[in-house]
Amino acid sequence: MCARMASCVKRTYDLKGSWVDRFTGASGGTLKDLDLTEPIKLWPQEYQLLLGQLKIDSEWLRDQGIMDYSLLMTVVEEDGTTLTQPHSVAHSCCRSEPVVALPVVCVGMIDALQRFDCGKMGELGFKSLVHCTDRDGVSCMPPGGYQERFIQQIQGRVFSPTSSRSCRAHDQ
């Protein structure tokens, strides 16, 4: 296990659930949606709890007319760990020592201050013209569609549960 969590941080992602202009190709800094090449495996119970909370939070933001928020995710692991190995969800990543065994993901909702107003409607119109074949993939969209796409992408592209066999080994 790493002596300090900060020394083990491998990747940080800013995830919106969109795909137009969401690739950095960088090896350092904050990565975006398309930089994540495969889903991160989570233990089934943690997967369900995390998805349930993200649904509640994103539905509340939708009901407030807010869009353009992100899931900030930091993957913390030792060298040699792959995304196909089950990761835990840390509930306190700000401590200097890990509170769970590695590998782990730390998550939080960020940028939840943008309402879908006239300026954002104009941005959607402009980006739709520029990326006419990928209108659904631009980050700017009405709160209802944004929330649905956000959850679909988090469920399908970002996280997936491990098999029940892996879960039994984790519970022992």
Side-chain angles (χ1 to χ4, degrees), residues 76-89:
V76 184
E77 56 196 16
E78 295 177 289
D79 287 335
T81 304
T82 67
L83 295 179
T84 58
Q85 291 175 272
H87 288 61
S88 294
V89 177

Side-chain angles (χ1 to χ4, degrees), residues 100-114:
V100 295
L102 297 178
V104 66
V105 293
C106 306
V107 296
M109 299 283 282
I110 62 168
D111 299 334
L113 301 173
Q114 185 63 58

Side-chain angles (χ1 to χ4, degrees), residues 10-163:
K10 298 297 184 190
R11 294 171 304 285
T12 299
Y13 296 89
D14 178 332
L15 304 166
K16 292 184 177 291
S18 57
W19 50 89
V20 173
D21 295 331
R22 299 296 298 165
F23 178 73
T24 66
S27 58
T30 302
L31 304 170
K32 296 182 179 181
D33 298 71
L34 296 181
D35 293 309
L36 184 62
T37 57
E38 60 184 303
I40 294 174
K41 295 286 188 184
L42 297 178
W43 299 108
Q45 183 178 5
E46 292 180 333
Y47 174 82
Q48 292 300 324
L49 289 171
L50 177 61
L51 263 287
Q53 189 62 54
L54 290 174
K55 285 179 184 177
I56 290 168
D57 293 349
S58 63
E59 287 169 354
W60 185 86
L61 291 168
R62 177 203 61 210
D63 294 346
Q64 306 311 306
I66 296 173
M67 44 72 68
D68 211 21
Y69 45 86
S70 299
L71 180 71
L72 185 65
M73 176 181 73
T74 300
V75 179
V76 184
E77 56 196 16
E78 295 177 289
D79 287 335
T81 304
T82 67
L83 295 179
T84 58
Q85 291 175 272
H87 288 61
S88 294
V89 177
H91 299 284
S92 182
C93 284
C94 58
R95 297 182 185 180
S96 61
E97 296 294 325
V99 293
V100 295
L102 297 178
V104 66
V105 293
C106 306
V107 296
M109 299 283 282
I110 62 168
D111 299 334
L113 301 173
Q114 185 63 58
R115 291 195 178 276
F116 191 73
D117 57 15
C118 291
K120 286 295 180 181
M121 285 183 210
E123 180 182 338
L124 175 59
F126 175 76
K127 286 185 175 181
S128 295
L129 288 173
V130 173
H131 304 287
C132 60
T133 59
D134 247 347
R135 179 182 175 132
D136 292 338
V138 298
S139 64
C140 179
M141 64 186 318
Y146 190 94
Q147 186 270 338
E148 288 175 19
R149 182 189 64 198
F150 178 79
I151 291 299
Q152 285 175 349
Q153 292 295 308
I154 296 300
Q155 280 181 258
R157 285 200 77 259
V158 178
F159 298 116
S160 67
T162 61
S163 67

